[in-house]
Amino acid sequence: FAFVGATFCYTVMMILFYTALEYTTIGNTVIFANSQALLLIVGKACIGQHIHIMEGIGVMIGFAGAIMCSLDSQKQSSTFASSGDSTTATTSTTNNAVLGDMLALGSAVFGVGYLTLAKVVRNRMSVTFLITGVMFLGSLMTLAYIVLFEGHELTFDRNVYHGIFGGFDASAPYYRIVVLSYLAVVVNGAGTMGYIRAMQAFDNTVIAISTLLAPLTASIIAWFFHAGLLPGLEGWIGNLLVVLGTLGVVYPSMGKEEKEVH
């Protein structure tokens, strides 16, 4: 039940994140969806669990840094769009921005559920089997969501537009298989699998706060492929705050491990 629950939380987390992008800005989506560490600290306080002062301060600093990174990311995206062939910015807002923010916050809530349940399952299952099972069962849940709620045409063939295996069709653009391979090998293989493996050594709060470094990594990757710009001054300050916040959260765990060794 914990495995199915972890898979369900992971799937809903990704669906809500994707849906939130249709209603609010990328910056707001990143801010709210990456608030797992803050929610974990609030949850610990609600159940009366002891919170180390460095842990609480670190989460606040890291989350403030993430906000600065997201705001800078919006500015950089607008600058990049206006300097290219496109005359419109890549970010936009709609009248349903509040709904989008709530969806992103819901994504963070299910992210906390995924962290909690995956940590329980991790002690009873190999990381390779766990990730393979989560991705396979999660893909079936996603297909069910598309059929039941999205209303899009879906076929079990290699149709380029609405086929489940359309990415493997010979007539499909070559970059589709490249993107799919990158998502499977790098994002899931190195990213999500490492995410789960780290649960053996660190608390969930440490894992959640560490993921706030994602905006910096994304900016560097985008710059390398000439698809974006490096962070501005506000972005670098935000990333520095994220690093300091991460160290603040990790420090109590390091001290705890040292005490256990002695």
Side-chain angles (χ1 to χ4, degrees):
F1 286 107
F3 168 73
V4 175
T7 304
F8 177 78
C9 287
Y10 180 83
T11 304
V12 176
M13 175 184 70
M14 301 308 297
I15 291 176
L16 289 177
F17 183 90
Y18 173 79
T19 307
L21 293 173
E22 299 179 6
Y23 298 99
T24 188
T25 61
I26 296 176
N28 284 2
T29 304
V30 172
I31 291 171
F32 286 103
N34 285 281
S35 60
Q36 290 101 328
L38 188 61
L39 292 175
L40 283 169
I41 290 296
V42 173
K44 285 184 177 181
C46 290
I47 63 175
Q49 189 172 346
H50 174 71
I51 300 174
H52 196 283
I53 185 170
M54 287 292 293
E55 199 174 33
I57 294 176
V59 168
M60 295 298 179
I61 293 176
F63 191 65
I67 293 176
M68 294 185 66
C69 291
S70 298
L71 295 175
D72 180 76
S73 177
Q74 288 184 341
K75 295 178 181 178
Q76 295 296 326
S77 297
S78 299
T79 301
F80 180 78
S82 61
S83 63
D85 296 332
S86 175
T87 58
T88 59
T90 57
T91 57
S92 61
T93 58
T94 67
N95 295 328
N96 296 319
V98 175
L99 174 60
D101 294 342
M102 293 300 100
L103 290 174
L105 184 60
S107 175
V109 172
F110 279 94
V112 171
Y114 170 67
L115 277 174
T116 304
L117 293 173
K119 189 174 182 66
V120 174
V121 180
R122 176 65 187 91
N123 297 326
R124 302 173 178 269
M125 190 181 299
S126 69
V127 63
T128 304
F129 183 81
L130 174 60
I131 294 301
T132 303
V134 167
M135 296 303 161
F136 176 73
L137 183 58
S139 65
L140 298 180
M141 291 181 179
T142 304
L143 288 176
Y145 168 80
I146 293 175
V147 172
L148 296 176
F149 299 104
E150 288 291 310
H152 298 305
E153 183 179 3
L154 185 67
T155 56
F156 289 86
D157 54 25
R158 293 190 300 171
N159 185 283
V160 177
Y161 299 101
H162 50 75
I164 294 178
F165 307 103
F168 300 98
D169 190 89
S171 61
Y174 73 93
Y175 57 81
R176 283 194 179 184
I177 191 65
V178 175
V179 172
L180 287 173
S181 300
Y182 177 83
L183 290 174
V185 177
V186 179
V187 177
N188 290 332
T192 308
M193 192 171 291
Y195 191 82
I196 297 298
R197 187 176 293 277
M199 290 180 176
Q200 286 185 313
F202 297 102
D203 184 74
N204 283 342
T205 308
V206 178
I207 304 297
I209 193 70
S210 299
T211 59
L212 293 178
L213 291 169
L216 175 61
T217 307
S219 298
I220 294 176
I221 294 175
W223 172 79
F224 181 80
F225 287 102
H226 303 286
L229 302 175
L230 287 175
L233 177 61
E234 188 177 13
W236 287 114
I237 295 175
N239 284 300
L240 177 61
L241 291 177
V242 171
V243 173
L244 293 176
T246 303
L247 292 176
V249 176
V250 173
Y251 179 77
S253 298
M254 294 174 61
K256 182 179 179 181
E257 290 177 359
E258 291 176 359
K259 291 178 182 179
E260 290 177 353
V261 171
H262 292 295

